[in-house]
Amino acid sequence: MEKIPQRTILFLIADTGAGHRSAANAIRNAITLISQKEQEVWHARQQIVSGTSTGAREQPATAVSSASPPAYRIEIVDVFEEYSRFPLREAVKLYGPAIRYNPKMYGRVFRLSNKYRSLTAVQTVASPLIHNGLLRLITSVQPDVIVSIHPLLNQFTLKALQDLHLHIPFITVVTDLVSLHYSWFAPGADAYIVPTEEARELYLARKLDPDRVHVLGMPIDPKFTRPTASKQELQRKIGLEPGLPVVLLVGGGDGAGGLQVAVRAISRARLPVQLLIITGRNKRLYAYLQRTRKNLRVPAKVFGFVQNMPEMMRASDVIITKAGPGTINEALACDLPIILSGYVPGQEEGNVDFVLKNDVGILAHDSIELVDGLRRLIKPGSVTMRRQVANAKRLSRPHASFDIASCILSFLLPAGQPGPWQTSLARNRRPSMSMRLRSSEVRLRSLRRRLPRMTRVSFLKSPVVSRLSRMRASGFPPRFIGLADKNQDNTT
Ligand code: UDP
C-alpha cells in the first residue's frame, strides 16, 4: 500500500485567557476538514484513473495527478507552561488573576512593554528562560511550518530558528483586532495573518514587507459555520423557558470582565429575560453563582467552562461579555448584538472601538448603562436590535479559519520534496539538541563513580545506561547548539 506523506504543523500558544487555544483549535479543525476534502478528491480521481468510476471514459487520465495529498500532523503547545523555566512560567500564569483582580495594573504593564526599547529589555531578560526549551521543542517535533498565536512567543521563536540554521516557515496569526501589542510583529516571520484592516495598517506603519501581511479575519471554530438545530430546539435542550429573551453572559476563558456585577444589575432591574451565565475557568465565581442563583429575580442557568459555545450563542438573543476578540467574533457569526461589560485595559481597548465603530453593540460603563442598553434591545420590535444584527451579519467572517488554514498550508513543500528536516544540516541538528539526554549522561557518569562495585555492575547493565552507551557509540553528542558550520551543505 502507498505510504501517505506527512507534514507537521506546530502551533505555539499560551493559555493566557482561552482565546489563543480557541484560535489554534479552530485552525486545526479547519485543516482537518480541508485534509478530508483533499483525500476525498484524490480518491475520487484515483478511481477515475483506474476506471472504476462510471465517469471514467469522459475524464482524460493524463490530466490527473497521482501523488497522494499529505496527512497533516498538528501539535498545539503551550510553550510557557511546557517549555519555559521559573520564574517566566509562573509570571505568565499571573495573567488570569491579574485581569480579574487588578486589570489596571495589567494595563500599565501592557503599555510599558508596548515599545521597542522596553520590549527588547524584557525579552533579553526572559530569553535564557525559554530559549533551550524552544530548541528542544522544535527539534523533537520537527515541524514543516511553525505558527505562533501569541505575541510574546514570536521573537523567541525567531531567535531559536536562527540558531538552528534551518529554514522552517514561521507564521504569526494575530488574534487581537485593533490595539495590537508591539510584539505581534517581530521582524523575520514569513507571513503575518491579521484579522482587520486596522491591524494591517499598524503592520505597515512598522515598515515591514507589505507582501507578507494578509487580512484574513479572526479564526473561529468551523462549528460556527455549520447549521444547528433551531433556536427553540436549542433552548429546550439547554433547559431554558420558551418565549423569554435569553441573555448570554460570558467573561472569556477566565470568567473576567464584570460578570458578577452584570448579573446583579439585571436581577435588581427585574428585566423580563432569562440568563445563561458561563463562568469559564473561574471556579470561585461558578460556586458563588450556583449558591446564590435562587436569590436572583430572573431565571438563570450557570455553567463553568463549556465546550458548546456555538449552541450557547445560537440559543441566545443578546450577549454581555468582556471585549475578548474571540468571543466578539463568535457572537458576530451568531448574529448577536453585543453589550460589553468590561475590557482588559490596553490589550482590549481596540476591540471596544471595533464594536462601537461598526455599530454591533455598546460599551456599558456602569450597571445603569448596561440595564438601559439591554432594555432597548429586548423591547419587542427593537430597531437597535434589528440594526445591530444586520451589521453583525455584514461584518462577520465565519469562514476565516479556512482562509487562514489554506494560507498556512501554502507554506508547506509539495509532497515528494524533502522538507527542512531531511537536509544534512538538520540531521546533525537533531542529536545535538538532546540537552536533557546530555545532562542525564553527565549525572549518570558521576553516580557510577560513587556506587559500590556490586551495585555498579547491575547499574552498568541497566537499560538507560545501555541506551546512552549505544548513542555515544553512534557519535552522540556531535556538537553544541548554535555552533553550526556555516559552510555546511544546507540543501539536501
Ligand atoms: N470559551 C469556551 N468556553 C467557555 C468560555 C470561553 O469555549 O466556557 C471560548 C470562547 O468561545 C472563545 C474563547 O474561549 O473562543 C475566549 O476568547 P476571548 O478572546 O474572547 O477571551 P480570552 O479568554 O482570551 O480573554
Side-chain angles (χ1 to χ4, degrees):
M1 207 176 132
E2 197 198 344
K3 195 166 166 263
I4 298 177
Q6 182 176 269
R7 294 286 185 233
T8 301
I9 304 165
L10 172 61
F11 286 94
L12 307 179
I13 61 156
D15 283 314
T16 50
H20 303 289
R21 189 171 286 276
S22 275
N25 286 340
I27 304 171
R28 180 202 49 203
N29 295 344
I31 291 175
T32 307
L33 291 171
I34 290 174
S35 173
Q36 278 167 8
K37 191 94 209 153
E38 283 176 352
Q39 296 290 342
E40 277 168 25
V41 170
W42 184 76
H43 281 294
R45 283 186 182 175
Q46 290 306 105
Q47 281 183 349
I48 291 168
V49 171
S50 61
T52 50
S53 161
T54 48
R57 257 164 283 143
E58 292 109 59
Q59 296 289 328
T62 44
V64 179
S65 146
S66 62
S68 159
Y72 302 112
R73 171 181 156 230
I74 297 172
E75 301 284 342
I76 301 176
V77 179
D78 178 342
V79 183
F80 290 111
E81 176 61 27
E82 292 177 44
Y83 288 90
S84 79
R85 287 178 15 208
F86 176 86
L88 182 61
R89 183 173 38 201
E90 284 65 23
V92 174
K93 277 192 191 145
L94 292 175
Y95 176 84
I99 63 159
R100 282 206 302 267
Y101 303 117
N102 203 340
K104 278 196 184 138
M105 187 202 72
Y106 177 83
R108 271 200 293 278
V109 173
F110 181 94
R111 280 189 202 97
L112 273 174
S113 62
N114 196 14
K115 297 174 199 120
Y116 172 75
R117 271 177 169 227
S118 37
L119 183 65
T120 309
V122 171
Q123 279 168 341
T124 309
V125 172
S127 181
L129 305 173
I130 195 168
H131 187 69
N132 274 354
L134 270 169
L135 292 174
R136 210 168 60 234
L137 169 65
I138 295 169
T139 48
S140 57
V141 173
Q142 296 183 14
D144 294 289
V145 60
I146 301 179
V147 183
S148 161
I149 313 194
H150 197 285
L152 297 181
L153 290 169
N154 300 328
Q155 190 58 47
F156 296 134
T157 311
L158 283 163
K159 174 84 178 66
L161 287 173
Q162 205 180 5
D163 282 5
L164 283 169
H165 294 267
L166 292 175
H167 185 71
I168 300 167
F170 178 71
I171 300 169
T172 295
V173 176
V174 174
T175 55
D176 281 315
L177 301 178
V178 179
S179 41
L180 310 190
H181 194 266
Y182 196 89
S183 52
W184 272 119
F185 299 135
D190 295 276
Y192 303 82
I193 297 174
V194 297
T196 59
E197 266 309 316
E198 289 90 332
R200 180 171 171 273
E201 272 157 33
L202 273 178
Y203 171 89
L204 295 176
R206 291 271 297 273
K207 304 269 180 287
L208 294 164
D209 181 357
D211 291 339
R212 294 191 185 194
V213 66
H214 309 272
V215 187
L216 298 179
M218 176 84 182
I220 62 168
D221 200 279
K223 274 189 273 179
F224 284 92
T225 62
R226 272 187 233 137
T228 51
S230 71
K231 185 180 265 187
Q232 287 74 14
E233 271 173 67
L234 290 172
Q235 290 181 346
R236 212 175 14 251
K237 188 172 157 196
I238 299 168
L240 295 161
E241 293 179 22
L244 200 56
V246 180
V247 180
L248 178 64
L249 291 115
V250 206
D254 289 316
L259 204 51
Q260 194 180 328
V261 177
V263 171
R264 241 186 281 145
I266 299 168
S267 166
R268 262 201 312 267
R270 293 175 195 253
L271 294 181
V273 295
Q274 52 188 326
L275 308 183
L276 202 48
I277 310 168
I278 299 177
T279 60
R281 292 188 294 235
N282 191 340
K283 291 195 177 123
R284 201 186 282 188
L285 182 61
Y286 175 76
Y288 171 80
L289 288 172
Q290 282 291 9
R291 226 177 25 250
T292 56
R293 191 167 59 100
K294 283 187 250 41
N295 307 331
L296 294 175
R297 292 164 188 165
V298 290
K301 294 227 165 287
V302 183
F303 296 86
F305 196 92
V306 301
Q307 300 294 347
N308 61 340
M309 197 55 93
E311 290 192 348
M312 292 293 194
M313 288 195 178
R314 291 234 162 85
S316 305
D317 298 288
V318 178
I319 184 168
I320 298 180
T321 174
K322 82 174 178 78
T327 307
I328 290 175
N329 282 277
E330 291 164 0
L332 295 178
C334 296
D335 304 337
L336 287 178
I338 302 166
I339 297 180
L340 297 175
S341 57
Y343 58 90
V344 178
Q347 186 183 321
E348 291 182 347
E349 279 166 20
N351 304 344
V352 176
D353 299 339
F354 177 82
V355 166
L356 300 183
K357 194 178 119 194
N358 291 293
D359 193 14
V360 286
I362 59 161
L363 170 67
H365 294 93
D366 54 34
S367 304
I368 298 171
E369 283 187 17
L370 186 135
V371 169
D372 284 351
L374 185 53
R375 197 175 273 130
R376 248 195 320 277
L377 285 170
I378 59 167
K379 212 165 60 182
S382 165
V383 178
T384 315
M385 170 74 96
R386 219 166 338 125
R387 197 184 62 241
Q388 291 186 349
V389 168
N391 290 339
K393 278 190 204 297
R394 176 181 52 79
L395 195 60
S396 148
R397 285 182 84 156
H399 290 89
S401 296
F402 291 96
D403 298 337
I404 296 170
S406 302
C407 179
I408 292 168
L409 296 182
S410 73
F411 280 86
L412 292 172
L413 290 172
Q417 274 193 33
W421 296 95
Q422 274 85 52
T423 64
S424 60
L425 179 62
R427 276 193 284 277
N428 280 341
R429 290 272 130 249
R430 268 178 270 166
S432 72
M433 292 305 124
S434 304
M435 298 297 266
R436 273 194 175 160
L437 281 173
R438 185 194 305 279
S439 51
S440 41
E441 192 200 38
V442 172
R443 276 203 301 278
L444 284 171
R445 237 190 277 153
S446 69
L447 182 65
R448 187 168 48 186
R449 275 199 298 274
R450 275 184 268 133
L451 287 172
R453 198 174 179 285
M454 274 315 284
T455 328
R456 210 184 304 164
V457 173
S458 49
F459 169 80
L460 288 171
K461 285 185 182 154
S462 82
V464 177
V465 174
S466 333
R467 180 123 190 255
L468 281 166
S469 311
R470 275 202 307 275
M471 288 179 74
R472 221 179 25 235
S474 66
F476 168 83
R479 54 166 55 134
F480 286 94
I481 300 168
L483 298 182
D485 181 353
K486 290 214 174 66
N487 299 323
Q488 199 157 0
D489 175 19
N490 189 7
T491 50
T492 50

